[in-house]
Amino acid sequence: MSKIIEVHHLYKSYGAVKAVKDVSFYVEQGSLFSFLGTNGAGKSTTISILLTLLKHDAGEVKINGLTVGKEDEAIRNEIGVVFQKSLLDPLLTVQENLDYRARLYKMTKEERLAAIVRAAAAVDISSLMKRRYGKLSGGQKRRVDIARALLHQPKILLLDEPTTGLDPQNRKQIWNTILNLQRETNMTVFLTTHYIEEAANSNFVVVMKEGEIIARGTPNHLKAEYSADRLMITAKDQAHFRSQLQADQLVFSEDHSTFLIQLKKTTDAIALLTKYEQQIVSFEVQQSSLDDVFIQIHNEKEGV
């Protein structure tokens, strides 16, 4: 795959505060790329530079071969953006909102109509066109926001925490919309999210902290490198079992009546279950989630 976004040695400071420090990464065309980081990580600053909304101090950024800072107007035509807060008017209908936004791209009436029909079909909102935007549910509003970002047929769709504030059902619907859109159009999707598990759908993940990249890789790669499975055991005699684990110098914690033993690899559970078989009431091998991975990445960088 070709690289549609390229960031090389990017720096940005606000006075004495170094918001972005020597950041380099790339995004392959047609991929789903997740950009993670807590507040203050430098994520928003990096995105603002990609969108040509903020000038960087040093480094080079290319969007589909175009250089940020030199070809900004052309770059804006390559990217569709869905911000956390909607840009649409709650008093206008969906149709009116999309028509107004299409006018900003200097389309003719016929071009605007075709663009609206195409974008609405892509995110399944054709039945909502006559309804006021302000009367829609959270999930419906988000789909309209995505349609607004698709009007000019961008090659890159940037989603800034698109499911924030939505309930689990609406989050699932939005994700189905995003994944279907990417699959059917081969559009590059650049995602930022605080719901770490959403990155499981990604082709590649970058994690930032304090202006620097602290981890990168596929979700499976990050799980393999930073996570550890746990063996959960309920024992017949808790005090005796606790003493046994301490004598065997195993790393474990307790959650009420359950013992949580850290595993270096999943198959290590076999030997432990055999050894403690007579003391076990029940057991479960629990695999790490991406939430666990995210916490572990940050803990390792802090030396915890």
Side-chain angles (χ1 to χ4, degrees), residues 119-156:
V123 296
D124 193 23
I125 60 165
S126 300
S127 62
L128 305 176
M129 302 306 287
K130 301 303 181 183
R131 294 181 60 183
R132 285 189 181 183
Y133 179 80
K135 297 294 185 179
L136 302 179
S137 69
Q140 290 170 334
K141 287 179 179 177
R142 223 59 183 132
R143 295 210 306 276
V144 176
D145 293 340
I146 295 173
R148 189 267 309 158
L150 297 176
L151 288 171
H152 61 299
Q153 294 185 282
K155 293 184 174 63
I156 302 166

Side-chain angles (χ1 to χ4, degrees), residues 147-208:
R148 189 267 309 158
L150 297 176
L151 288 171
H152 61 299
Q153 294 185 282
K155 293 184 174 63
I156 302 166
L157 180 63
L158 193 151
L159 303 165
D160 189 11
E161 300 183 20
T163 61
T164 297
L166 298 181
D167 60 46
Q169 182 177 356
N170 276 317
R171 284 173 57 190
K172 183 177 181 180
Q173 290 175 348
I174 291 301
W175 264 106
N176 286 338
T177 298
I178 293 169
L179 294 175
N180 286 337
L181 182 66
Q182 187 205 14
R183 182 167 53 250
E184 292 173 6
T185 66
N186 199 37
M187 178 179 291
T188 304
V189 177
F190 189 111
L191 169 75
T192 76
T193 178
H194 277 180
Y195 297 111
I196 309 306
E197 284 297 332
E198 291 185 343
N201 296 304
S202 304
N203 300 109
F204 202 81
V205 179
V206 163
V207 183
M208 284 192 71

Side-chain angles (χ1 to χ4, degrees), residues 160-269:
D160 189 11
E161 300 183 20
T163 61
T164 297
L166 298 181
D167 60 46
Q169 182 177 356
N170 276 317
R171 284 173 57 190
K172 183 177 181 180
Q173 290 175 348
I174 291 301
W175 264 106
N176 286 338
T177 298
I178 293 169
L179 294 175
N180 286 337
L181 182 66
Q182 187 205 14
R183 182 167 53 250
E184 292 173 6
T185 66
N186 199 37
M187 178 179 291
T188 304
V189 177
F190 189 111
L191 169 75
T192 76
T193 178
H194 277 180
Y195 297 111
I196 309 306
E197 284 297 332
E198 291 185 343
N201 296 304
S202 304
N203 300 109
F204 202 81
V205 179
V206 163
V207 183
M208 284 192 71
K209 180 180 179 181
E210 297 177 356
E212 299 178 293
I213 292 176
I214 59 173
R216 68 180 81 208
T218 66
N220 286 337
H221 168 78
L222 293 179
K223 278 189 175 182
E225 183 172 354
Y226 291 100
S227 68
D229 294 340
R230 298 184 298 182
L231 175 60
M232 305 171 64
I233 292 177
T234 301
K236 296 177 181 177
D237 185 331
Q238 293 181 47
H240 177 72
F241 191 61
R242 185 183 301 111
S243 298
Q244 181 84 50
L245 295 178
Q246 290 170 341
D248 292 339
Q249 298 183 332
L250 291 175
V251 177
F252 70 95
S253 60
E254 296 180 52
D255 183 7
H256 300 291
S257 61
T258 303
F259 291 85
L260 310 175
I261 304 171
Q262 297 296 322
L263 303 173
K264 291 184 178 179
K265 58 182 184 295
T266 307
T267 52
D268 288 345

Side-chain angles (χ1 to χ4, degrees), residues 12-159:
K12 177 63 182 179
S13 297
Y14 300 98
V17 178
K18 296 180 179 179
V20 177
K21 298 174 282 188
D22 196 19
V23 165
S24 297
F25 65 88
Y26 65 86
V27 179
E28 293 184 336
Q29 184 174 358
S31 68
L32 173 54
F33 180 93
S34 286
F35 201 48
L36 306 182
T38 55
N39 292 334
K43 187 170 78 269
S44 295
T45 297
T46 303
I47 291 169
S48 294
I49 293 170
L50 296 182
L51 296 176
T52 74
L53 301 176
L54 185 66
K55 292 184 178 181
H56 51 292
D57 299 333
E60 183 180 56
V61 180
K62 286 186 174 292
I63 307 294
N64 201 24
L66 303 169
T67 302
V68 170
K70 296 180 180 179
E71 300 167 282
D72 290 358
E73 185 173 352
I75 286 172
R76 293 179 191 124
N77 290 324
E78 301 289 326
I79 305 176
V81 188
V82 178
F83 297 102
Q84 290 182 46
K85 294 184 178 180
S86 177
L87 303 176
L88 302 182
D89 190 326
L91 299 180
L92 298 180
T93 66
V94 172
Q95 177 83 33
E96 291 167 339
N97 266 298
L98 295 181
D99 184 69
Y100 173 74
R101 290 290 162 178
R103 290 171 187 266
L104 299 179
Y105 296 106
K106 300 178 181 179
M107 298 179 183
T108 65
K109 183 177 180 180
E110 292 74 18
E111 288 171 338
R112 292 199 307 271
L113 180 59
I116 292 169
V117 170
R118 181 178 59 247
V123 296
D124 193 23
I125 60 165
S126 300
S127 62
L128 305 176
M129 302 306 287
K130 301 303 181 183
R131 294 181 60 183
R132 285 189 181 183
Y133 179 80
K135 297 294 185 179
L136 302 179
S137 69
Q140 290 170 334
K141 287 179 179 177
R142 223 59 183 132
R143 295 210 306 276
V144 176
D145 293 340
I146 295 173
R148 189 267 309 158
L150 297 176
L151 288 171
H152 61 299
Q153 294 185 282
K155 293 184 174 63
I156 302 166
L157 180 63
L158 193 151
L159 303 165

